[in-house]
Amino acid sequence: MRRLRATRIAGVLVTVAAVAMAGNAIAYFSGDGTGNAAAAVTKLTAPTFTAATPAIGGKVTLTWGALSPPGEGTVTYFVTRDGGTPAGNCPSQAAPTTVKTCVDEKVPVGKHTYEVTALWHTWEATSAPRLVEVSVGAPAYFTVTATATSIVANGTSNLSITARDENGTPVSTYTGNHSIVFSGANAAPSGTKPTVTNNSGTATNFGSATTIAFTSGVSTVNTVTRNGQARLYQAGTANIVATESSVTSPEPVAISVSATTASKYVLAAATTTPVAGAGDDLTITAQDAYSNLATSYGGAHSLVFSTTASATSPAGNVPTVSDFSGADVAFGAATTIEFSEGVAKASEGDGGKMTLYKTVSTPVKAAEGTTVTTPTALTAVVAAAPAAKLVLTSSTPTPVAATGFNLTTTAQDAYGNTATGYAGAKNITFAGATASPAGTLPTVVTSGNVAVNFGSPTALNFVSGVATPASSKNGYTKLNKVETASVTATDGSISTVAPIALPVSTGAANRVALLEVTATPGTVGTACYFTCPITGLGNSGIVKAKAAITDSVGNLVSNLAKTITITATAGGTVTGSPLATPETGPAISTTEFTYKSPASGSFSHTITAASTGYTSATSAVSK
C-alpha cells in the first residue's frame, strides 16, 4: 500500500493570496511558515451614514455606523464634503480618527455631498454619497443700524447688529456674548474717544474688543445694560463698522455728529512775535467742549480781552483790539467781534486786530461773560519798535562837582521800551551843563577812555539799546559847576525828549581863588581865578582883590572860616593881609587886599594868596 507522502517545503516562506472583488468587499487568504498551507477569506465593508442633519448657521452633524476590522488593528474614518476637506471637528483624509460622528461648520448655503471612508491598514472602503442641503449658512457679514443718524457731540445712538449668512439671511444660531470691535469713529480734537457700551453697561473705546450679547442673531440695546449704545464726540460723519474676526459689516452705518454749543475760544495770531505798536491780526475760533468747531456760533458777540501780564508800556500805552467797525478798544472793555460759522478773522474785517505796546511775553485771553472763555492763552512775545528817543539815568541823583559818576544812555522806542536793536558804536553829543567858575567844562568819557567835553560827539558803545558805563568809561561823567544841570543827549537823529535834572553840589574845599580883581591902570585877564594875569599895570599901579576858598574847580565853599595870607615879590607892597572868610555863608573874604607896584623901573612880580592846606592862587603882574 502506497502511502501518500506530504510534500515538505523547508526554509521557504510562501504566501498565496487571492482577492475577489464584489462591490466594496475584499477577500483574501494567506499562509506562511512550513508544513501544510492554510488560507482565510474575509472583507472590509463600506461604512454607512446613519444621520446627516443640517442646522442654521452652516452646521451639518454627521453620524455613521461602526465597522469591525477584518483582522488585527483598528478601523479609522475620514469625511469629505463635495470631494474636499470639511471644517469643524470632522476627521480629514490627512488625519483620520476612530470617531463615528462629527460636526461640519461654515458650510455654504446650498446642496452638498458627503462621503465617509473607512481605513484598515492599506485597505479602504467608501460609503455611498449622502446629499445634504443647508438653507441658512454661517455668519458671513453684519448689518448695523442706528436709532439716531444725526446727533450732537457727546450724544448717543443705539446700534443694532444682525449676523447674516452669504445670502443675507439672519443667522439665528449666532447668539450669546460675542467680542465685537467697532471702528469708523475718531476721537474728538480734544482727544475724547468714542465709545460703545458692552453687555454690562461699561463704555468701551472704539477699536477695543467690546462684549455684545446677541439673541437669535441680533444684538439690541436695552435700558439696563445698554449693550451697544454708541457715544460720539468728533463733529462730522462717523461711518461705523462692526467686526468679529473675519465677519464684518461691509456697509457702515453713517451717523452725522454736530458740535455742541460754543464753550471756548482758540486764539491765533498772524505773528506771535509782534513789534510794539504794530497791529497783529487775530483769528478767533469758537469751539465746543470737545474742541469741535462751533459752526452755529455766528453774528456779533461782545468779547473782553485780557492778559495776566503788566501790558501797559512804560510810556502808558495800553493794549487794544479793534472791533468789527475798526475802532481800537482797550483790553478789559467790551469789544464787538463778528463771527461766521464759529470763526472771526481780523484780516476779513470781523474785528480782532490786536496792538501790544510793551516788550513782554503777553498771554492773551478772550471771554464772552462766563459762557465762552479761553482755557489756553495765546502768548505773544512783543519786540521793541525802532529807537525813537534817548533816555539818561544817573548813578546818583545829586552828583558832586568834579566827582565822576555813571551816566547811562538808553535808546527807547516810541512806547518807552528799550530799543534792543540800537547797538554798536554811536556818537552821542551831550549838553545842558556849563563850565565851573574856574572854566572847567563838563565831560563824558568815551568807550575808548577819552574824556570829551559836553557839546562834542562822544563815542559810546551800545549793547541791546544801552550804553552802560564800566571801568570809568563809556559814559563816566563829571559835572563841574554847582547848578541844576538839565542834561540832554542826541545822536543827530534821535534825542532825549526830557532832560535829566542833576543838582550839582560843591566839592570839598581844595583851593584859594582871587575874586573881584581890579587893576589901575592895566587889564585883568579873562582867565583870572586860580591864576590871574594882569597886563599894562605900570609903575605905582594898584591891584585890589578879595580871596576865597573853593573846591577843585572853583565853586565857592561855605561856612568855612579861614585865614588867607597875601604876599608879593619883593619890590611890591601889599596891604590888607591877611584876609578872613566868615564862619557862615560863602567862604569869600569880607575885605580886600591892595598890591602897589614899584614907583619906577621894570618889574615882574607874583602876587600869592595862600591858606594852609589848600592850593594857592597867584597873579602875575609886570612892566
Side-chain angles (χ1 to χ4, degrees):
M1 180 175 179
R2 299 176 65 181
R3 297 177 62 188
L4 181 62
R5 187 175 60 182
T7 304
R8 296 175 61 91
I9 304 174
V12 179
L13 174 63
V14 179
T15 302
V16 180
V19 180
M21 306 293 289
N24 287 326
I26 299 175
Y28 74 95
F29 68 88
S30 64
D32 59 5
T34 59
N36 295 324
V41 179
T42 186
K43 64 180 180 179
L44 179 65
T45 59
T48 302
F49 282 110
T50 58
T53 307
I56 292 174
K59 292 184 179 182
V60 176
T61 301
L62 302 169
T63 305
W64 55 91
L67 297 180
S68 299
E72 295 181 358
T74 303
V75 176
T76 59
Y77 307 91
F78 70 87
V79 176
T80 62
R81 182 216 307 157
D82 300 328
T85 302
N89 62 356
C90 291
S92 65
Q93 186 174 7
T97 67
T98 59
V99 300
K100 285 84 176 177
T101 184
C102 71
V103 178
D104 188 13
E105 297 182 350
K106 299 182 180 180
V107 182
V109 175
K111 295 180 180 180
H112 302 277
T113 300
Y114 287 91
E115 293 179 334
V116 59
T117 298
L119 300 174
W120 182 74
H121 293 294
T122 60
W123 295 3
E124 65 179 53
T126 303
S127 70
R130 183 67 173 263
L131 186 65
V132 177
E133 184 173 4
V134 175
S135 59
V136 180
Y141 65 95
F142 294 129
T143 55
V144 183
T145 60
T147 56
T149 57
S150 182
I151 62 175
V152 296
N154 194 28
T156 60
S157 181
N158 296 336
L159 303 180
S160 178
I161 306 169
T162 302
R164 299 181 184 275
D165 69 7
E166 59 195 78
N167 290 336
T169 304
V171 182
S172 60
T173 54
Y174 190 85
T175 190
N177 292 335
H178 288 267
S179 185
I180 306 297
V181 175
F182 293 89
S183 60
N186 297 321
S190 65
T192 308
K193 296 180 179 180
T195 62
V196 177
T197 54
N198 64 13
N199 65 337
S200 64
T202 301
T204 305
N205 291 337
F206 268 55
S208 299
T210 306
T211 302
I212 299 295
F214 285 77
T215 301
S216 299
V218 180
S219 74
T220 55
V221 175
N222 59 66
T223 58
V224 179
T225 62
R226 302 306 180 197
N227 193 54
Q229 186 180 76
R231 187 178 295 274
L232 307 178
Y233 299 93
Q234 184 187 43
T237 299
N239 294 298
I240 298 177
V241 172
T243 302
E244 183 185 37
S245 188
S246 62
V247 181
T248 188
S249 47
E251 295 184 5
V253 59
I255 299 178
S256 176
V257 183
S258 58
T260 63
T261 56
S263 64
K264 61 181 177 180
Y265 294 123
V266 175
L267 305 181
T271 175
T272 56
T273 55
V275 173
D280 192 5
D281 287 345
L282 296 180
T283 296
I284 309 167
T285 302
Q287 295 182 347
D288 67 9
Y290 309 102
S291 300
N292 296 301
L293 176 63
T295 53
S296 62
Y297 192 83
H301 289 267
S302 183
L303 278 63
V304 174
F305 292 84
S306 63
T307 177
T308 56
S310 175
T312 301
S313 78
N317 309 91
V318 297
T320 62
V321 176
S322 66
D323 64 15
F324 77 104
S325 70
D328 289 333
V329 180
F331 271 37
T335 307
T336 303
I337 303 294
E338 188 77 21
F339 284 83
S340 176
E341 295 185 344
V343 180
K345 294 184 177 181
S347 60
E348 297 180 2
D350 299 330
K353 183 183 287 294
M354 178 176 68
T355 306
L356 302 175
Y357 295 94
K358 184 177 181 180
T359 54
V360 69
S361 179
T362 306
V364 179
K365 291 187 175 184
E368 184 180 33
T370 58
T371 304
V372 188
T373 60
T374 307
T376 303
L378 164 70
T379 299
V381 180
V382 184
K389 59 184 175 180
L390 298 175
V391 174
L392 302 176
T393 54
S394 172
S395 60
T396 175
T398 55
V400 176
T403 301
F405 63 96
N406 290 332
L407 189 64
T408 300
T409 308
T410 302
Q412 293 183 350
D413 64 12
Y415 313 106
N417 302 296
T418 299
T420 54
Y422 192 87
K426 305 288 182 180
N427 285 322
I428 307 299
T429 300
F430 295 88
T434 56
S436 73
T440 308
L441 291 169
T443 60
V444 178
V445 180
T446 68
S447 59
N449 201 26
V450 176
V452 177
N453 293 334
F454 269 45
S456 297
T458 304
L460 300 182
N461 184 54
F462 285 77
V463 177
S464 298
V466 182
T468 303
S471 302
S472 300
K473 296 185 290 186
N474 207 48
Y476 185 74
T477 301
K478 286 184 180 180
L479 302 181
N480 296 309
K481 184 178 180 180
V482 174
E483 63 179 344
T484 297
S486 295
V487 181
T488 61
T490 182
D491 70 355
S493 58
I494 61 172
S495 305
T496 49
V497 174
I500 180 173
L502 296 172
V504 182
S505 61
T506 308
N510 182 268
R511 303 193 66 158
V512 177
L514 295 174
L515 303 180
E516 302 178 21
V517 178
T518 62
T520 305
T523 302
V524 178
T526 56
C528 181
Y529 206 75
F530 296 139
T531 59
C532 188
I534 298 175
T535 60
L537 183 63
N539 295 117
S540 300
I542 301 297
V543 175
K544 294 185 176 184
K546 290 183 179 181
I549 304 298
T550 71
D551 62 14
S552 63
V553 289
N555 297 293
L556 289 172
V557 299
S558 297
N559 307 325
L560 188 67
K562 291 293 181 180
T563 298
I564 302 172
T565 301
I566 309 300
T567 61
T569 304
T573 303
V574 175
T575 59
S577 176
L579 304 177
T581 61
E583 293 184 356
T584 60
I588 183 171
S589 64
T590 56
T591 60
E592 61 184 10
F593 72 88
T594 299
Y595 161 81
K596 185 176 182 179
S597 65
S600 63
S602 297
F603 61 88
S604 179
H605 288 178
T606 298
I607 304 169
T608 301
S611 182
T612 303
Y614 304 112
T615 302
S616 300
T618 61
S619 176
V621 294
S622 62
K623 176 186 176 186

